[in-house]
């Protein structure tokens, strides 16, 4: 036990002993550790060994064009961009519109920093950015497409034909394996999306300044004091929104009202991911056999070991750029950051309005209005500059 920790422990005992309600100074050594990994100078998304085109500039250029091409949809009116709009790469409504005016079931996440994600979709039913793309392409509600439609679109444009052929060594017309064609299109779409990063925000500068103030013993005077303290201590936000990307890359049941068909979240996603031909352990991965497959058996073991924890569980999203992507949560039910903070302050929605069991961290918080405001200000400071 370090001196610092010993001192805090002794202090806590003294406080307990006197029945005094005042608390340990913020941050304790553990809290300091959590704070010190929240900010990082911009780092590129980790290389994805399952997509050898992931950081290829020609692949990203082709991916960019395809991302905006409505011709990839069967109805001819819906591109990726239609549901991932503007600077935020999402929509301002709870759900988005696909082929024939159909509505998606869930709120489209922003695609900013999506290359840093470990799992994709709110329920984690894709384990790689490139394979994720197959889902909206083939979803009847979204682009309602398939390899025949996609191949025809590629073949119709000489620029597509030459870019595709240069990258993959086969012309799209000769790519007889439709699954291979879809995986390749996913890989170039991923290369483009991996460039949509915004990581450096006022929040990072605030955390760095705060850490220096802790060193100097002047943190209580720092403007970020109350926000960071509430985020780390009373709000427990950092339990899940941790590390550089402000996410634990895990799934939790917050007790968010949901009566939709997909309300069971991760519980209905694990098996489909594990048996999916496009997963990272499958034929279309560029990683040597087995190398990258370790995450899937781990996922299976987790899901089987604690079946209760996956029902109604959704992925912890990054909080970076969160001010840009209202409305919030997988349902899009919370319209503003103030509403999100109220949701947490209430300890989630009432029992009976969601499936499964609410995770133990989500409890009534009794935040003061200053603490709530400080949290909202903190969340708003997480918007990064474009790069
Ligand atoms: C009709 C609207 C719509 C279209 C078209 C669409 N998306 Fe999405 N996108 C969504 C919704 C809704 C989700 C969340 C779905 C879920 O989690 O169940 C999503 C999720 C994603 C995610 C996961 C992000 C994350 O953080 O988990 C990525 C990446 C993505 N879309 C990329 C694309 C690409 C690439 C295309 C084109 C091939 C595309 N989208 C087309 C609506 C759309
Ligand atoms: C138990 C883990 C956990 C804790 C603790 C937690 N969150 Fe979350 N957070 C999540 C998950 C999971 C979601 C997505 C839930 C869903 O849509 O069903 C989420 C969603 C959000 C969103 C919406 C993001 C978006 O893009 O829609 C915000 C904002 C947010 N949390 C902020 C906070 C704040 C502030 C706190 C502390 C008061 C906090 N979270 C505490 C796990 C957690």
């Amino acid at each position: 036990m370090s001196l610092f920790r010993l001192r805090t422990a002794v202090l806590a005992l003294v406080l307990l002993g006197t029945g005094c309600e005042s608390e340990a100074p913020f941050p304790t050594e553990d809290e300091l550790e959590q704070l010190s990994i929240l900010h990082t100078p911009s780092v590129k998304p980790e290389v994805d060994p399952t997509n050898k085109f992931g950081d290829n500039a020609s692949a990203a250029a082709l991916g960019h064009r395809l991302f905006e091409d409505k011709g990839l949809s069967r109805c001819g009116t819906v591109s990726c961009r239609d549901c991932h709009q503007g600077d935020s790469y999402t929509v301002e409504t709870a759900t988005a519109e696909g082929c024939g005016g159909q509505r998606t079931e869930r709120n489209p996440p922003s695609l900013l920093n999506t290359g840093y994600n470990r799992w994709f979709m709110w329920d984690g039913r894709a384990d790689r950015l490139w394979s994720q793309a197959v889902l909206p392409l083939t979803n009847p509600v979204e682009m309602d497409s398939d390899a025949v439609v996609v191949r025809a679109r590629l073949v119709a444009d000489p620029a597509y034909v030459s870019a595709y052929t240069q990258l993959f060594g086969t012309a799209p017309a000769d790519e007889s394996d439709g699954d291979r064609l879809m995986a390749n299109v996913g890989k170039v779409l991923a290369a483009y999306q991996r460039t949509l990063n915004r990581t450096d925000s006022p929040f990072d500068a605030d955390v760095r300044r705060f850490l220096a103030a802790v060193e100097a013993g002047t943190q209580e005077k720092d403007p970020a004091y109350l926000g960071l303290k509430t985020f780390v201590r009373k709000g427990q936000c950092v339990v899940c929104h941790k590390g550089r990307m402000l996410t634990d890359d895990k799934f939790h049941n917050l007790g968010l009202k949901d009566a939709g068909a997909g309300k069971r979240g991760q519980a209905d996603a694990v098996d489909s991911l594990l048996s999916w031909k496009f997963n990272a352990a499958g034929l279309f991965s560029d990683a040597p056999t087995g190398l990258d497959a370790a995450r899937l058996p781990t996922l299976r073991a987790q899901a089987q070991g604690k079946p209760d924890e996956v029902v109604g569980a959704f992925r912890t999203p990054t909080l970076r750029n969160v001010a840009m992507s209202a409305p919030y949560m997988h349902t899009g039910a919370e319209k503003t950051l103030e509403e999100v903070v109220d949701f947490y302050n209430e300890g989630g929605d009432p029992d009976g309005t969601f499936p499964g069991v609410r995770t133990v961290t989500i409890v009534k918080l009794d935040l003061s209005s200053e603490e709530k405001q400080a949290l909202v200000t903190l969340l708003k400071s997480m918007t990064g500059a474009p790069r």
Side-chain angles (χ1 to χ4, degrees):
M1 190 185 283
S2 76
L3 242 185
F4 188 90
R5 195 176 296 205
L6 188 67
R7 255 194 287 137
T8 356
V10 170
L11 180 71
L13 276 178
V14 170
L15 292 176
L16 272 176
T18 58
C20 169
E21 292 211 357
S22 66
E23 40 164 27
F26 178 76
T28 63
E29 195 179 336
D30 285 348
E31 290 168 336
L32 188 59
E33 230 169 274
Q34 291 169 322
L35 283 167
S36 66
I37 56 168
L38 286 181
H39 76 101
T40 327
S42 37
V43 182
K44 285 197 168 152
E46 199 181 313
V47 169
D48 175 2
T50 70
N51 178 7
K52 63 181 175 198
F53 306 96
D55 298 298
N56 176 312
S58 336
L62 175 58
H64 190 172
R65 274 201 66 197
L66 292 174
F67 191 83
E68 293 174 356
D69 191 338
K70 297 177 193 290
L72 294 182
S73 64
R74 186 184 306 276
C75 52
T77 57
V78 179
S79 73
C80 309
R81 193 70 171 127
D82 286 310
C83 298
H84 298 284
Q85 299 174 12
D87 285 347
S88 62
Y89 295 88
T90 179
V91 290
E92 291 173 1
T93 42
T95 59
E97 192 175 301
C99 276
Q102 301 176 88
R103 306 298 305 188
T104 60
E105 189 184 317
R106 296 188 182 134
N107 183 243
S110 163
L111 300 185
L112 293 172
N113 298 336
T114 196
Y116 294 86
N117 284 348
R118 185 183 173 121
W119 306 105
F120 299 87
M121 303 304 216
W122 285 105
D123 55 11
R125 65 190 184 278
D127 60 344
R128 292 290 159 175
L129 186 53
W130 59 268
S131 54
Q132 184 284 335
V134 176
L135 298 172
L137 280 167
T138 54
N139 187 333
V141 171
E142 300 188 354
M143 298 172 78
D144 191 27
S145 195
D146 60 20
V148 175
V149 174
V150 172
R151 188 188 290 105
R153 178 67 197 109
L154 292 172
V155 167
D157 186 318
Y160 281 157
V161 172
S162 96
Y164 185 100
T165 311
Q166 265 172 31
L167 286 165
F168 300 109
T170 310
D174 301 331
E175 194 81 82
S176 53
D177 180 348
D179 289 339
R180 171 74 59 192
L181 182 96
M182 294 298 267
N184 287 347
V185 164
K187 286 175 186 176
V188 301
L189 284 166
Y192 166 60
Q193 294 173 85
R194 283 169 63 85
T195 66
L196 306 177
N197 302 323
R198 284 191 182 216
T199 48
D200 285 324
S201 66
F203 169 78
D204 299 279
D206 287 350
V207 171
R208 285 193 283 272
R209 190 197 58 240
F210 185 80
L211 292 171
V214 171
E215 197 109 311
T218 56
Q219 71 270 27
E220 290 191 23
K221 295 195 200 81
D222 191 278
Y225 176 78
L226 188 60
L228 287 174
K229 183 176 168 196
T230 312
F231 190 79
V232 169
R233 187 176 284 180
K234 198 166 170 186
Q236 303 254 52
C237 315
V238 81
V239 170
C240 305
H241 298 284
K242 61 165 76 160
R244 174 157 55 93
M245 295 315 288
L246 297 157
T247 171
D248 57 1
D249 291 318
K250 294 192 174 128
F251 299 79
H252 306 276
N253 183 335
L254 302 189
L256 179 80
K257 185 178 171 195
D258 187 353
K263 65 183 175 194
R264 281 166 45 85
Q266 199 191 12
D268 289 344
V270 174
D271 285 341
S272 68
L273 170 59
L274 289 171
S275 60
W276 196 30
K277 60 187 163 190
F278 291 104
N279 74 25
L283 210 55
F284 306 107
S285 162
D286 294 325
T289 318
L291 174 78
D292 198 61
R295 303 197 305 182
L296 292 172
T298 310
L299 177 69
R300 185 195 307 268
Q302 277 166 356
Q304 285 172 348
K306 295 175 179 167
D308 285 354
E309 289 192 6
V310 293
V311 177
F314 291 88
R315 197 194 65 211
T316 310
T318 177
L319 296 181
R320 292 196 174 274
N321 307 302
V322 72
M324 298 173 73
S325 69
Y328 300 107
M329 305 300 196
H330 73 272
T331 55
E334 311 300 335
K335 291 181 195 62
T336 60
L337 290 172
E338 284 79 359
E339 283 189 24
V340 173
V341 168
D342 283 337
F343 167 86
Y344 282 111
N345 195 38
E346 296 293 312
D349 286 327
D351 284 334
T353 61
F354 58 90
V357 183
R358 193 191 331 256
T359 189
V360 291
T361 331
I362 303 300
V363 290
K364 272 199 167 50
L365 297 174
D366 283 324
L367 300 176
S368 67
S369 55
E370 290 77 22
E371 287 167 330
K372 287 202 245 175
Q373 187 48 52
L375 269 186
V376 170
T377 305
L378 187 84
L379 292 168
K380 288 185 177 164
S381 76
M382 293 169 178
T383 305
R387 273 205 265 144

